């Protein structure tokens, strides 16, 4: 009997915690200020987030271009997935007050001075063509 009561209590607390998190996310989406980050990022972590934002843009750009070229729905589906990855990284960039490297969302345009994403874009599109 005690185990059953404990299980029910845990289930109720889990539901309440989920509702609280969902409510907090809803408040953030409606324009309230985001919660401050719980930890401070290292410089390496910051650089990795910024690198990944452009890497996800590269993937999205290639799949969008291949979709335009071939018309295969698989390319459209994958590009949508890559866009969600980009959006998740943009949320991290905003949360940690970083400067977003994606200043121009044009296909094939990148800003990372240490890594030539543009060259990779051209190579992947050539290979996919």
């Amino acid at each position: 009997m005690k185990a059953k009561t404990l299980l029910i209590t845990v289930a109720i607390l889990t539901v309440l915690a989920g509702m609280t998190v969902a409510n907090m996310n809803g408040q953030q989406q409606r324009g309230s200020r985001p919660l401050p980050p719980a930890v401070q990022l290292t410089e390496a972590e910051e650089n990795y987030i910024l690198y990944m934002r452009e890497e996800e843009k590269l993937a999205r750009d290639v799949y969008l271009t291949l979709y335009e070229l071939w018309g295969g729905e698989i390319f459209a589906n994958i590009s949508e997935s890559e866009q969600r990855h980009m959006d998740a990284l943009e949320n991290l960039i905003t949360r940690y007050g970083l400067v977003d490297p994606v200043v121009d969302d044009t296909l094939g345009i990148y800003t990372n001075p240490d890594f030539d994403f543009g060259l990779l874009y051209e190579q992947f599109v050539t290979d996919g063509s």
Side-chain angles (χ1 to χ4, degrees):
M1 185 68 168
K2 285 185 179 186
K4 186 176 180 181
T5 303
L6 179 61
L7 184 59
I8 292 171
T9 302
V10 168
I12 291 171
L13 289 173
T14 302
V15 169
L16 290 174
M19 290 170 54
T20 301
V21 169
N23 187 37
M24 288 170 53
N25 287 338
Q27 287 175 353
Q28 286 181 0
Q29 290 173 358
R30 287 189 291 272
S32 66
R33 294 184 313 166
L35 297 173
V39 297
Q40 185 68 29
L41 297 177
T42 65
E43 184 177 344
E45 291 167 330
E46 289 177 1
N47 290 336
Y48 187 68
I49 289 170
L50 299 176
Y51 171 86
M52 287 303 300
R53 172 89 161 128
E54 283 203 300
E55 190 278 333
E56 295 295 345
K57 180 183 183 308
L58 167 65
R60 186 215 51 190
D61 291 357
V62 168
Y63 286 114
L64 282 173
T65 302
L66 294 178
Y67 174 69
E68 290 173 12
L69 180 66
W70 297 106
E73 283 302 310
I74 189 70
F75 296 124
N77 293 341
I78 296 171
S79 69
E80 289 172 7
S81 178
E82 300 299 344
Q83 182 63 57
R84 285 191 297 275
H85 299 163
M86 284 180 65
D87 294 344
L89 287 159
E90 182 179 31
N91 289 338
L92 285 176
I93 288 168
T94 299
R95 180 171 190 166
Y96 288 98
L98 306 176
V99 176
D100 192 349
V102 178
V103 294
D104 184 347
D105 204 29
T106 304
L107 297 179
I109 303 298
Y110 309 96
T111 60
N112 188 317
D114 300 321
F115 197 84
D116 195 347
F117 286 109
L119 181 64
L120 277 179
Y121 170 79
E122 293 297 327
Q123 184 62 54
F124 292 153
V125 168
T126 299
D127 291 348
S129 299

